[in-house]
Amino acid sequence: MKRIVLFAALLVAAARMGWAGDVDLLAEGNSWRFSGGTEFPPGALGSFSVDEEGGAAIANLEYDFTQGGLYVAGAGNVRIEEGPTEIRFKFKADSPLTVAIRLVDKTNQTHQYQFAYTDEGQWQEYRVDLAEKAGLIFGGKSDKVLHFPITQVYFIAQKKGGSQSGKAQFRDVVMQ
């Protein structure tokens, strides 16, 4: 009985601190929207959707760089309170790309974590250590520190070499 009471107290404390365990970012995001990266004119074409596959949320990101653009993204509003220390996810695409996760914090500072994707058509697993500084940081407070809560998340496929058009997918996107 003491263990149950202690466990319940820990859950209440975690909820008060805003953190109660793993967060599936694809399930948490809302107001999903597509971005063609129009800051690199004319931007890329494509689409973004979050569907269910085998009982799990999966993000589908269609990309078309034939008319220009550098990246495509799916973006959603979230509210992730302080607590998580890492993000893990799986990514698969039709061709080699740069894959990225972009987090926007409460100061409107953007933290982008980028990785090379080379295993065409195969799921590749990635891990983001939130204690490490992101490779690309811009906007907001501009102090290179992630300030919770996180308010937006972007799932990005960036053009690499000859990648012109195709499909990229994110799954098992967990923040813990």
Side-chain angles (χ1 to χ4, degrees):
M1 182 66 169
K2 287 182 182 179
R3 286 184 182 163
I4 293 172
V5 172
L6 178 60
F7 181 70
L10 287 172
L11 284 177
V12 169
R16 284 187 182 151
M17 291 186 308
W19 183 247
D22 294 356
V23 175
D24 179 343
L25 287 177
L26 290 173
E28 282 295 312
N30 56 50
S31 305
W32 289 112
R33 60 200 177 279
F34 172 78
S35 171
T38 55
E39 67 270 35
F40 300 99
L45 301 173
S47 65
F48 182 79
S49 65
V50 177
D51 301 310
E52 188 178 308
E53 185 177 283
I58 189 164
N60 298 297
L61 185 56
E62 302 279 341
Y63 57 92
D64 182 350
F65 301 116
T66 57
Q67 312 256 333
L70 180 62
Y71 74 92
V72 292
N77 298 324
V78 296
R79 182 156 180 94
I80 308 296
E81 299 292 342
E82 191 163 359
T85 58
E86 73 174 9
I87 300 171
R88 289 185 325 229
F89 65 96
K90 293 179 183 170
F91 180 81
K92 175 172 76 168
D94 296 336
S95 62
L97 296 167
T98 297
V99 58
I101 296 283
R102 181 183 289 174
L103 305 174
V104 180
D105 70 17
K106 76 175 184 180
T107 74
N108 211 29
Q109 184 172 206
T110 299
H111 307 261
Q112 186 165 308
Y113 304 87
Q114 298 183 162
F115 305 92
Y117 173 77
T118 57
D119 296 338
E120 291 180 50
Q122 302 296 314
W123 288 107
Q124 196 168 331
E125 195 165 344
Y126 298 91
R127 182 181 167 275
V128 174
D129 182 347
L130 296 176
E132 294 181 12
K133 287 187 174 56
L136 180 61
I137 300 173
F138 55 92
K141 195 170 183 176
S142 196
D143 63 358
K144 300 182 181 179
V145 174
L146 183 60
H147 299 275
F148 287 89
I150 296 167
T151 60
Q152 293 178 51
V153 62
Y154 288 73
F155 300 100
I156 298 171
Q158 186 174 320
K159 183 178 178 177
K160 182 178 181 178
S163 60
Q164 290 298 310
S165 62
K167 181 178 181 178
Q169 295 179 299
F170 291 82
R171 69 174 302 139
D172 304 329
V173 185
V174 176
M175 197 173 221
Q176 47 180 208

